PDB file of all heavy atoms in Angstrom:
ATOM      1  N   SER A1332     -30.313 -47.780 148.678  1.00  0.00           N
ATOM      2  CA  SER A1332     -30.825 -46.450 148.326  1.00  0.00           C
ATOM      3  C   SER A1332     -29.733 -45.380 148.368  1.00  0.00           C
ATOM      4  O   SER A1332     -29.997 -44.218 148.031  1.00  0.00           O
ATOM      5  CB  SER A1332     -31.962 -46.058 149.265  1.00  0.00           C
ATOM      6  OG  SER A1332     -31.491 -45.942 150.606  1.00  0.00           O
ATOM      7  N   GLY A1333     -28.518 -45.751 148.801  1.00  0.00           N
ATOM      8  CA  GLY A1333     -27.407 -44.814 148.823  1.00  0.00           C
ATOM      9  C   GLY A1333     -27.330 -43.942 150.058  1.00  0.00           C
ATOM     10  O   GLY A1333     -26.470 -43.068 150.157  1.00  0.00           O
ATOM     11  N   LYS A1334     -28.212 -44.181 151.020  1.00  0.00           N
ATOM     12  CA  LYS A1334     -28.214 -43.354 152.222  1.00  0.00           C
ATOM     13  C   LYS A1334     -27.144 -43.793 153.230  1.00  0.00           C
ATOM     14  O   LYS A1334     -26.740 -43.006 154.081  1.00  0.00           O
ATOM     15  CB  LYS A1334     -29.599 -43.401 152.881  1.00  0.00           C
ATOM     16  CG  LYS A1334     -30.725 -42.875 151.998  1.00  0.00           C
ATOM     17  CD  LYS A1334     -32.072 -43.003 152.673  1.00  0.00           C
ATOM     18  CE  LYS A1334     -33.210 -42.638 151.714  1.00  0.00           C
ATOM     19  NZ  LYS A1334     -33.157 -41.216 151.291  1.00  0.00           N
ATOM     20  N   VAL A1335     -26.724 -45.033 153.147  1.00  0.00           N
ATOM     21  CA  VAL A1335     -25.729 -45.596 154.063  1.00  0.00           C
ATOM     22  C   VAL A1335     -24.740 -46.412 153.243  1.00  0.00           C
ATOM     23  O   VAL A1335     -25.120 -47.071 152.264  1.00  0.00           O
ATOM     24  CB  VAL A1335     -26.410 -46.502 155.123  1.00  0.00           C
ATOM     25  CG1 VAL A1335     -25.370 -47.256 155.944  1.00  0.00           C
ATOM     26  CG2 VAL A1335     -27.304 -45.666 156.033  1.00  0.00           C
ATOM     27  N   ARG A1336     -23.466 -46.367 153.650  1.00  0.00           N
ATOM     28  CA  ARG A1336     -22.447 -47.114 152.904  1.00  0.00           C
ATOM     29  C   ARG A1336     -21.995 -48.387 153.616  1.00  0.00           C
ATOM     30  O   ARG A1336     -21.636 -49.354 152.967  1.00  0.00           O
ATOM     31  CB  ARG A1336     -21.258 -46.212 152.627  1.00  0.00           C
ATOM     32  CG  ARG A1336     -21.572 -45.105 151.630  1.00  0.00           C
ATOM     33  CD  ARG A1336     -20.351 -44.318 151.220  1.00  0.00           C
ATOM     34  NE  ARG A1336     -20.643 -43.439 150.099  1.00  0.00           N
ATOM     35  CZ  ARG A1336     -19.779 -42.583 149.578  1.00  0.00           C
ATOM     36  NH1 ARG A1336     -18.557 -42.464 150.100  1.00  0.00           N
ATOM     37  NH2 ARG A1336     -20.109 -41.833 148.554  1.00  0.00           N
ATOM     38  N   ALA A1337     -21.947 -48.380 154.940  1.00  0.00           N
ATOM     39  CA  ALA A1337     -21.492 -49.552 155.685  1.00  0.00           C
ATOM     40  C   ALA A1337     -22.218 -49.585 157.024  1.00  0.00           C
ATOM     41  O   ALA A1337     -22.717 -48.560 157.504  1.00  0.00           O
ATOM     42  CB  ALA A1337     -19.981 -49.523 155.892  1.00  0.00           C
ATOM     43  N   ILE A1338     -22.243 -50.774 157.623  1.00  0.00           N
ATOM     44  CA  ILE A1338     -22.994 -50.970 158.862  1.00  0.00           C
ATOM     45  C   ILE A1338     -22.045 -51.356 159.984  1.00  0.00           C
ATOM     46  O   ILE A1338     -21.187 -52.234 159.834  1.00  0.00           O
ATOM     47  CB  ILE A1338     -24.060 -52.076 158.698  1.00  0.00           C
ATOM     48  CG1 ILE A1338     -25.020 -51.731 157.559  1.00  0.00           C
ATOM     49  CG2 ILE A1338     -24.835 -52.261 159.991  1.00  0.00           C
ATOM     50  CD1 ILE A1338     -25.807 -50.471 157.788  1.00  0.00           C
ATOM     51  N   GLY A1339     -22.214 -50.700 161.130  1.00  0.00           N
ATOM     52  CA  GLY A1339     -21.496 -51.049 162.345  1.00  0.00           C
ATOM     53  C   GLY A1339     -22.491 -51.352 163.448  1.00  0.00           C
ATOM     54  O   GLY A1339     -23.706 -51.288 163.237  1.00  0.00           O
ATOM     55  N   SER A1340     -21.978 -51.678 164.621  1.00  0.00           N
ATOM     56  CA  SER A1340     -22.887 -52.025 165.705  1.00  0.00           C
ATOM     57  C   SER A1340     -22.327 -51.600 167.047  1.00  0.00           C
ATOM     58  O   SER A1340     -21.122 -51.399 167.205  1.00  0.00           O
ATOM     59  CB  SER A1340     -23.164 -53.533 165.720  1.00  0.00           C
ATOM     60  OG  SER A1340     -21.998 -54.258 166.086  1.00  0.00           O
ATOM     61  N   LEU A1341     -23.223 -51.504 168.008  1.00  0.00           N
ATOM     62  CA  LEU A1341     -22.885 -51.246 169.402  1.00  0.00           C
ATOM     63  C   LEU A1341     -23.890 -51.995 170.257  1.00  0.00           C
ATOM     64  O   LEU A1341     -25.098 -51.935 170.009  1.00  0.00           O
ATOM     65  CB  LEU A1341     -22.954 -49.746 169.719  1.00  0.00           C
ATOM     66  CG  LEU A1341     -22.862 -49.358 171.201  1.00  0.00           C
ATOM     67  CD1 LEU A1341     -21.450 -49.620 171.724  1.00  0.00           C
ATOM     68  CD2 LEU A1341     -23.227 -47.899 171.408  1.00  0.00           C
ATOM     69  N   GLY A1342     -23.405 -52.726 171.248  1.00  0.00           N
ATOM     70  CA  GLY A1342     -24.307 -53.394 172.171  1.00  0.00           C
ATOM     71  C   GLY A1342     -24.707 -54.801 171.780  1.00  0.00           C
ATOM     72  O   GLY A1342     -25.479 -55.432 172.511  1.00  0.00           O
ATOM     73  N   LEU A1343     -24.207 -55.316 170.664  1.00  0.00           N
ATOM     74  CA  LEU A1343     -24.505 -56.694 170.287  1.00  0.00           C
ATOM     75  C   LEU A1343     -23.554 -57.643 171.009  1.00  0.00           C
ATOM     76  O   LEU A1343     -22.378 -57.332 171.203  1.00  0.00           O
ATOM     77  CB  LEU A1343     -24.380 -56.895 168.778  1.00  0.00           C
ATOM     78  CG  LEU A1343     -25.398 -56.179 167.889  1.00  0.00           C
ATOM     79  CD1 LEU A1343     -25.153 -56.527 166.429  1.00  0.00           C
ATOM     80  CD2 LEU A1343     -26.824 -56.523 168.285  1.00  0.00           C
ATOM     81  N   SER A1344     -24.052 -58.789 171.378  1.00  0.00           N
ATOM     82  CA  SER A1344     -23.228 -59.805 172.035  1.00  0.00           C
ATOM     83  C   SER A1344     -22.435 -60.588 170.995  1.00  0.00           C
ATOM     84  O   SER A1344     -22.673 -60.467 169.775  1.00  0.00           O
ATOM     85  CB  SER A1344     -24.116 -60.759 172.834  1.00  0.00           C
ATOM     86  OG  SER A1344     -24.956 -61.482 171.951  1.00  0.00           O
ATOM     87  N   ALA A1345     -21.508 -61.413 171.469  1.00  0.00           N
ATOM     88  CA  ALA A1345     -20.720 -62.241 170.559  1.00  0.00           C
ATOM     89  C   ALA A1345     -21.620 -63.183 169.769  1.00  0.00           C
ATOM     90  O   ALA A1345     -21.433 -63.376 168.557  1.00  0.00           O
ATOM     91  CB  ALA A1345     -19.676 -63.026 171.355  1.00  0.00           C
ATOM     92  N   SER A1346     -22.626 -63.761 170.417  1.00  0.00           N
ATOM     93  CA  SER A1346     -23.536 -64.675 169.716  1.00  0.00           C
ATOM     94  C   SER A1346     -24.358 -63.947 168.661  1.00  0.00           C
ATOM     95  O   SER A1346     -24.652 -64.504 167.597  1.00  0.00           O
ATOM     96  CB  SER A1346     -24.459 -65.375 170.721  1.00  0.00           C
ATOM     97  OG  SER A1346     -25.257 -64.421 171.413  1.00  0.00           O
ATOM     98  N   GLN A1347     -24.703 -62.691 168.922  1.00  0.00           N
ATOM     99  CA  GLN A1347     -25.447 -61.914 167.926  1.00  0.00           C
ATOM    100  C   GLN A1347     -24.567 -61.558 166.728  1.00  0.00           C
ATOM    101  O   GLN A1347     -25.051 -61.496 165.600  1.00  0.00           O
ATOM    102  CB  GLN A1347     -26.019 -60.648 168.572  1.00  0.00           C
ATOM    103  CG  GLN A1347     -27.190 -60.913 169.501  1.00  0.00           C
ATOM    104  CD  GLN A1347     -27.659 -59.659 170.210  1.00  0.00           C
ATOM    105  OE1 GLN A1347     -26.862 -58.919 170.806  1.00  0.00           O
ATOM    106  NE2 GLN A1347     -28.963 -59.410 170.154  1.00  0.00           N
ATOM    107  N   LEU A1348     -23.279 -61.328 166.973  1.00  0.00           N
ATOM    108  CA  LEU A1348     -22.365 -61.087 165.850  1.00  0.00           C
ATOM    109  C   LEU A1348     -22.247 -62.334 164.981  1.00  0.00           C
ATOM    110  O   LEU A1348     -22.170 -62.248 163.748  1.00  0.00           O
ATOM    111  CB  LEU A1348     -20.989 -60.677 166.365  1.00  0.00           C
ATOM    112  CG  LEU A1348     -20.861 -59.284 166.984  1.00  0.00           C
ATOM    113  CD1 LEU A1348     -19.420 -59.030 167.413  1.00  0.00           C
ATOM    114  CD2 LEU A1348     -21.321 -58.194 166.021  1.00  0.00           C
ATOM    115  N   VAL A1349     -22.222 -63.495 165.619  1.00  0.00           N
ATOM    116  CA  VAL A1349     -22.195 -64.745 164.861  1.00  0.00           C
ATOM    117  C   VAL A1349     -23.477 -64.890 164.049  1.00  0.00           C
ATOM    118  O   VAL A1349     -23.452 -65.269 162.868  1.00  0.00           O
ATOM    119  CB  VAL A1349     -22.002 -65.953 165.805  1.00  0.00           C
ATOM    120  CG1 VAL A1349     -22.166 -67.259 165.032  1.00  0.00           C
ATOM    121  CG2 VAL A1349     -20.630 -65.898 166.471  1.00  0.00           C
ATOM    122  N   GLU A1350     -24.630 -64.582 164.670  1.00  0.00           N
ATOM    123  CA  GLU A1350     -25.908 -64.635 163.955  1.00  0.00           C
ATOM    124  C   GLU A1350     -25.905 -63.677 162.772  1.00  0.00           C
ATOM    125  O   GLU A1350     -26.395 -64.016 161.678  1.00  0.00           O
ATOM    126  CB  GLU A1350     -27.052 -64.295 164.906  1.00  0.00           C
ATOM    127  CG  GLU A1350     -28.431 -64.325 164.254  1.00  0.00           C
ATOM    128  CD  GLU A1350     -29.533 -63.804 165.178  1.00  0.00           C
ATOM    129  OE1 GLU A1350     -29.261 -63.520 166.356  1.00  0.00           O
ATOM    130  OE2 GLU A1350     -30.683 -63.682 164.691  1.00  0.00           O
ATOM    131  N   ALA A1351     -25.352 -62.471 162.979  1.00  0.00           N
ATOM    132  CA  ALA A1351     -25.300 -61.491 161.902  1.00  0.00           C
ATOM    133  C   ALA A1351     -24.449 -61.994 160.740  1.00  0.00           C
ATOM    134  O   ALA A1351     -24.787 -61.768 159.568  1.00  0.00           O
ATOM    135  CB  ALA A1351     -24.747 -60.168 162.431  1.00  0.00           C
ATOM    136  N   ARG A1352     -23.364 -62.701 161.036  1.00  0.00           N
ATOM    137  CA  ARG A1352     -22.520 -63.226 159.963  1.00  0.00           C
ATOM    138  C   ARG A1352     -23.233 -64.341 159.200  1.00  0.00           C
ATOM    139  O   ARG A1352     -23.092 -64.462 157.979  1.00  0.00           O
ATOM    140  CB  ARG A1352     -21.197 -63.726 160.543  1.00  0.00           C
ATOM    141  CG  ARG A1352     -20.203 -64.246 159.495  1.00  0.00           C
ATOM    142  CD  ARG A1352     -19.982 -63.256 158.346  1.00  0.00           C
ATOM    143  NE  ARG A1352     -19.528 -61.967 158.782  1.00  0.00           N
ATOM    144  CZ  ARG A1352     -18.247 -61.587 158.805  1.00  0.00           C
ATOM    145  NH1 ARG A1352     -17.309 -62.437 158.442  1.00  0.00           N
ATOM    146  NH2 ARG A1352     -17.921 -60.362 159.190  1.00  0.00           N
ATOM    147  N   ILE A1353     -24.024 -65.146 159.904  1.00  0.00           N
ATOM    148  CA  ILE A1353     -24.818 -66.177 159.227  1.00  0.00           C
ATOM    149  C   ILE A1353     -25.834 -65.523 158.293  1.00  0.00           C
ATOM    150  O   ILE A1353     -26.030 -65.965 157.150  1.00  0.00           O
ATOM    151  CB  ILE A1353     -25.518 -67.075 160.268  1.00  0.00           C
ATOM    152  CG1 ILE A1353     -24.474 -67.880 161.055  1.00  0.00           C
ATOM    153  CG2 ILE A1353     -26.513 -68.012 159.584  1.00  0.00           C
ATOM    154  CD1 ILE A1353     -25.062 -68.642 162.229  1.00  0.00           C
ATOM    155  N   LEU A1354     -26.477 -64.455 158.767  1.00  0.00           N
ATOM    156  CA  LEU A1354     -27.434 -63.737 157.922  1.00  0.00           C
ATOM    157  C   LEU A1354     -26.741 -63.093 156.728  1.00  0.00           C
ATOM    158  O   LEU A1354     -27.309 -63.027 155.625  1.00  0.00           O
ATOM    159  CB  LEU A1354     -28.162 -62.674 158.756  1.00  0.00           C
ATOM    160  CG  LEU A1354     -29.144 -63.192 159.808  1.00  0.00           C
ATOM    161  CD1 LEU A1354     -29.588 -62.065 160.734  1.00  0.00           C
ATOM    162  CD2 LEU A1354     -30.350 -63.853 159.141  1.00  0.00           C
TER     163      LEU A1354
END
Side-chain angles (χ1 to χ4, degrees):
S1332 64
K1334 299 177 187 296
V1335 171
R1336 291 187 170 176
I1338 302 298
S1340 68
L1341 170 70
L1343 293 182
S1344 65
S1346 61
Q1347 287 175 310
L1348 289 181
V1349 172
E1350 180 188 354
R1352 182 51 57 96
I1353 294 172
L1354 290 169

